[in-house]
Amino acid sequence: MRITIIMLLVSLHTFAQKVQVDPSHHLTKILQAHDCDKDKKITVDDGNCGAKSYQLTTKNSGTLTVEGTYQLSNLVQELKLAEKTGLLETSRISENPVDRISRSIRERFWDGLTRRIDAEHLEQVLADSKVMASAKKYLYVPASDPQAYEYFKRAQKKGSRVEVLKLPGVDSESIQALGARHGLLALGLEKSREGKIQGVPYVVPGGRFNEMYGWDSYFHALGLLEDGRVELAKSMVDNFVYEITHYGKILNANRTYYLTRSQPPFLTSMIKAVYEKLPADPANKQWLKISVLAAIREYETVWMGKDRLTPLGLSRYAGFAPGIPPEVEPGHFDETIRTFAARKKMTVEKYTALFTKGLLLEPELTEFFLHDRAVRESGHDTTYRWRVNGKDACADFVTVDLNSLLYKYEIDLAYLIGNQLQDKLPGYRSENFSAAARKRRDLIRKYLWDPEKKMFFDYNWVLGKPSEYVSATALYPLWAVEKNAPGTQLLDPAEAKALASNVLQVLEQAGGIAATSDESLKKFGDKSLQRQWEYPNGWAPHQILAWEGLQNYGLVEDSDRLIYKWLYMITKNAMEYNGTIPEKYDVVNRTHKVFAEYGNVGTEFSYITTEGFGWMNASYQIGLKQISKSSLKKLKLLVDPKK
């Protein structure tokens, strides 16, 4: 009887929190009174407009006073969500921001970012802000998947702006032949339980990034796993296996203009993270086998292939295609091209057109775009990190991040083949990858580790000397450990502690780790021309890898402090800016107002964000899982709106 009464009280309390309202009426009144800058959001930038107080009159529960920027912005969001039902859950107006952000990610954001490429969703997935809405949109299906081609051709509607085409090839010449007809690349198809053909789902970063991106997807998967979305994370691995099978590599993203380049390799870590959450049964063991074989193919043909393996035995980023990267905004390279155009007494526009068609031979400009594509493959587009004598030279460097990731591939493959597949993978033995890892470990320590400065630096293999640029990627070697295989650390404990101390001394800021050091930027960069992967900006992947790397070496206090700073910055920013969860932050000033190069995705929305930004969402959920109980309690108290 006692249990029944308690359950009844809980039920009544929950019901009482939902009240009937007229969402449209209240939204109009709130925005008229409090949205000073007319951006359809309530933020601190609205100042004291209307004293930030609102009397919410409901149809069945009287009047509720809502006060302050945070609560008013929550009210706007909840009213927007209540438009279909007219029911408002009042407890969410003053919900603790930490809980609110995490719940929004778990309940709404992942779904808002999920896509499928199939007949039902073609219009949604083909949307590309870089292409005019009225222009024809193309879906390319690999010739090696004839069944998918027939399926999509049947799905093509007569008179539609969507056209399904067979991809002529994945080499640079075939891609160049597409001209202006670039488009989306098909991913995997599957049958639902009801027998319906549907696209294998995946998560996009958000905003103008409406594709499945390479290294973003690893962090998306980690966030999904924290939120119990194991099947969705598994599906993303399946789509990467599809890309390797049909396009030859994990793509920068699944559009035709990305076919010549990959992104930082995380597939083995992604496979391991997903497999550990799956039931131990024959079907999942077979899934592991297929996924590992795909990862080996990528490792051997892409990263250990002739284009990316250097004479040193370490690998580099590269991207091979002639001309200007088609995905950039018009005019992006005008200043670079202007000098060459002047020599030919041409306008920039005419020179660009002729160069793009291959009608002008200019070795210096061709080399410029080789390095530019390498930067884009690195995921760090753009940065001054690989500048030599005033020019970017990314392809001339073997980098700390790439070779740490490939070392992780090798120790992961050794573990997965030896321990999970019991060395029954035809043609491959775990010892082969262990030997490759030992060789790479020695080369990393020889070329990338400075034993005096206790720091990792990229190495210019063309000039034969190390860089002096301090980057957050110096912490990647701490992350590159196979926890199930003792002895796979790249550093001993004393070296790791010294490295962490040296890196954090120059990169740790109020909001977390900056992408590079201020000193490096001043010495080698150009502060008049900001680049987004530079000080003072901080990025989610750098934070996540740093947290886990520090934990691998027992530097738990450092990790916890960094997690707290990052979560506080995200939380405070969301409180003050209507729930905004952006692509990146200025970690020095703890703000999302980053205007370098391409702006900040995830900040443009009305009333309520339905998706946040992919790897930022993941960093929040991962951070909440890893932060200490005492730091989490401190964080929740500090941002509690009820105080």
Coordinates of all heavy atoms in Angstrom, one line a residue, residues 13 27 40 70 105 154 231 269 285-286 288 292 303 306 308 359 369 376 434 438 458 471 484 554 566 576 586:
H13 N 2.4 14.4 -9.5 CA 3.4 15.5 -9.6 C 3.8 15.7 -11.0 O 3.9 16.8 -11.6 CB 4.6 15.2 -8.7 CG 5.7 16.2 -8.8 ND1 5.5 17.5 -8.3 CD2 6.9 16.1 -9.3 CE1 6.6 18.2 -8.5 NE2 7.5 17.4 -9.1
L27 N 5.0 32.8 -27.6 CA 6.2 33.0 -28.3 C 6.2 34.4 -28.9 O 7.2 35.1 -28.8 CB 6.4 32.0 -29.5 CG 6.9 30.6 -29.1 CD1 6.8 29.6 -30.2 CD2 8.3 30.7 -28.6
K40 N 15.2 35.8 -32.9 CA 14.3 34.7 -32.5 C 14.9 33.8 -31.5 O 14.7 32.6 -31.4 CB 13.8 33.9 -33.8 CG 13.0 34.7 -34.8 CD 12.6 33.9 -35.9 CE 11.8 34.7 -37.0 NZ 11.5 34.0 -38.2
Y70 N 18.3 32.7 -18.9 CA 18.3 31.3 -19.0 C 16.9 30.7 -19.0 O 16.5 29.9 -19.9 CB 19.1 30.6 -17.9 CG 19.0 29.1 -17.9 CD1 19.6 28.4 -19.0 CD2 18.4 28.4 -16.9 CE1 19.5 27.0 -19.0 CE2 18.4 27.0 -16.9 CZ 18.9 26.3 -17.9 OH 18.8 25.0 -17.9
I105 N 20.8 16.4 -25.9 CA 21.6 15.6 -26.8 C 21.1 14.2 -27.0 O 20.9 13.6 -28.1 CB 23.1 15.6 -26.3 CG1 23.7 17.0 -26.3 CG2 23.9 14.6 -27.1 CD1 25.0 17.1 -25.6
R154 N 15.3 3.4 -59.9 CA 13.9 3.3 -59.7 C 13.3 4.3 -58.9 O 12.1 4.7 -59.0 CB 13.5 1.9 -59.2 CG 13.8 0.7 -60.1 CD 13.2 -0.6 -59.6 NE 13.7 -1.0 -58.3 CZ 14.7 -1.7 -58.1 NH1 15.4 -2.2 -59.2 NH2 15.1 -2.1 -56.9
E231 N 23.4 0.4 -31.9 CA 23.2 0.0 -33.3 C 23.5 1.1 -34.3 O 24.0 0.9 -35.4 CB 21.7 -0.4 -33.5 CG 21.4 -1.8 -32.8 CD 22.3 -2.9 -33.4 OE1 22.4 -3.0 -34.7 OE2 22.9 -3.7 -32.7
S269 N 39.8 2.0 -33.7 CA 39.3 2.4 -32.4 C 37.8 2.4 -32.4 O 37.2 2.0 -31.4 CB 39.8 3.8 -32.0 OG 41.2 3.8 -31.9
K285 N 30.7 -11.7 -34.2 CA 32.1 -12.1 -34.5 C 32.4 -11.9 -36.0 O 33.5 -11.5 -36.4 CB 32.4 -13.5 -34.0 CG 33.8 -13.9 -34.1 CD 34.7 -13.2 -33.1 CE 34.5 -13.8 -31.7 NZ 35.4 -13.2 -30.7
Q286 N 31.4 -12.3 -36.8 CA 31.5 -12.2 -38.3 C 31.6 -10.7 -38.7 O 32.4 -10.3 -39.5 CB 30.4 -12.9 -39.0 CG 30.4 -12.8 -40.5 CD 31.6 -13.5 -41.1 OE1 32.2 -14.4 -40.4 NE2 31.9 -13.2 -42.3
L288 N 32.8 -8.3 -36.8 CA 34.1 -7.9 -36.4 C 35.2 -8.3 -37.5 O 36.0 -7.5 -37.9 CB 34.5 -8.5 -35.1 CG 36.0 -8.2 -34.6 CD1 36.2 -6.7 -34.4 CD2 36.3 -9.0 -33.4
V292 N 37.4 -5.6 -39.5 CA 38.8 -5.6 -39.4 C 39.5 -5.8 -40.8 O 40.5 -5.1 -41.1 CB 39.3 -6.8 -38.5 CG1 40.8 -7.0 -38.6 CG2 38.9 -6.4 -37.0
W303 N 47.2 4.5 -46.2 CA 48.2 5.1 -45.3 C 49.6 4.5 -45.4 O 50.6 5.1 -45.2 CB 47.8 5.0 -43.8 CG 46.5 5.7 -43.7 CD1 45.2 5.1 -43.4 CD2 46.2 7.1 -43.8 NE1 44.3 6.1 -43.4 CE2 44.8 7.3 -43.6 CE3 47.0 8.2 -44.0 CZ2 44.2 8.6 -43.7 CZ3 46.5 9.4 -44.1 CH2 45.1 9.6 -43.9
K306 N 51.9 4.1 -51.6 CA 53.1 4.9 -52.2 C 52.9 6.4 -52.0 O 53.8 7.1 -51.9 CB 53.3 4.5 -53.6 CG 52.1 4.8 -54.5 CD 52.4 4.4 -56.0 CE 51.3 4.7 -56.9 NZ 50.9 6.2 -57.0
R308 N 51.4 8.1 -49.5 CA 51.4 8.6 -48.2 C 52.6 8.1 -47.3 O 52.9 8.7 -46.3 CB 50.1 8.4 -47.5 CG 49.0 9.3 -48.1 CD 47.6 8.9 -47.6 NE 46.6 9.8 -48.2 CZ 46.0 9.6 -49.4 NH1 46.4 8.6 -50.1 NH2 45.1 10.4 -49.8
L359 N 44.3 24.0 -68.5 CA 44.8 24.6 -69.7 C 46.0 25.5 -69.4 O 46.6 26.1 -70.3 CB 43.7 25.4 -70.4 CG 42.5 24.6 -70.9 CD1 41.4 25.5 -71.5 CD2 42.9 23.5 -71.9
F369 N 48.3 23.6 -54.2 CA 47.0 22.9 -54.0 C 47.3 21.5 -53.5 O 46.4 20.9 -52.8 CB 46.2 22.9 -55.3 CG 45.5 24.3 -55.5 CD1 45.8 25.0 -56.6 CD2 44.6 24.8 -54.6 CE1 45.2 26.3 -56.8 CE2 44.0 26.0 -54.7 CZ 44.3 26.8 -55.9
R376 N 43.6 19.7 -45.7 CA 42.2 19.3 -45.6 C 42.1 17.8 -45.2 O 41.1 17.5 -44.5 CB 41.5 19.6 -46.9 CG 41.4 21.1 -47.2 CD 40.9 21.4 -48.6 NE 41.1 22.8 -48.9 CZ 40.2 23.7 -48.5 NH1 39.1 23.4 -47.9 NH2 40.5 25.0 -48.8
S434 N 52.1 -6.4 -34.6 CA 52.9 -6.0 -33.5 C 54.3 -5.6 -33.9 O 54.8 -4.6 -33.4 CB 53.0 -7.2 -32.5 OG 51.7 -7.6 -32.0
R438 N 56.0 -1.9 -33.4 CA 57.3 -1.7 -32.7 C 58.2 -0.8 -33.6 O 58.9 0.1 -33.2 CB 58.0 -3.1 -32.4 CG 57.3 -3.8 -31.3 CD 58.2 -5.0 -30.8 NE 58.4 -6.0 -31.9 CZ 57.6 -7.0 -32.0 NH1 56.5 -7.2 -31.3 NH2 57.8 -7.9 -33.0
D458 N 56.0 17.7 -35.2 CA 56.0 17.2 -36.6 C 57.4 17.3 -37.2 O 58.2 18.1 -36.7 CB 55.0 18.0 -37.4 CG 53.6 17.9 -36.9 OD1 53.2 16.9 -36.3 OD2 52.8 18.9 -37.1
S471 N 51.4 22.1 -30.8 CA 50.0 21.8 -31.2 C 49.4 20.9 -30.1 O 50.2 20.1 -29.5 CB 50.0 21.2 -32.6 OG 48.7 20.5 -32.8
N484 N 44.4 -3.3 -23.5 CA 44.3 -4.7 -23.3 C 45.7 -5.4 -23.5 O 45.8 -6.6 -23.4 CB 43.3 -5.4 -24.2 CG 41.9 -4.8 -23.9 OD1 41.4 -5.0 -22.8 ND2 41.3 -4.2 -24.9
G554 N 47.7 7.8 -15.8 CA 47.4 8.1 -14.4 C 47.4 9.5 -14.0 O 47.3 9.9 -12.8
W566 N 36.1 22.5 -19.8 CA 35.4 22.3 -21.1 C 33.8 22.3 -20.9 O 33.1 23.0 -21.5 CB 35.9 21.1 -21.8 CG 35.3 20.8 -23.1 CD1 34.4 19.9 -23.5 CD2 35.7 21.5 -24.4 NE1 34.2 19.9 -24.9 CE2 34.9 20.9 -25.4 CE3 36.5 22.5 -24.7 CZ2 35.0 21.3 -26.7 CZ3 36.6 22.9 -26.0 CH2 35.9 22.3 -27.0
E576 N 23.6 31.1 -21.7 CA 23.5 32.5 -22.1 C 23.0 32.7 -23.5 O 22.6 33.8 -23.9 CB 24.9 33.2 -21.9 CG 25.3 33.2 -20.4 CD 26.7 33.9 -20.2 OE1 27.4 34.0 -21.2 OE2 27.0 34.2 -19.1
D586 N 36.3 29.7 -28.7 CA 37.5 30.4 -28.3 C 37.7 30.1 -26.8 O 36.9 30.5 -25.9 CB 37.2 31.9 -28.5 CG 38.3 32.8 -27.8 OD1 39.1 32.4 -27.0 OD2 38.3 34.0 -28.2

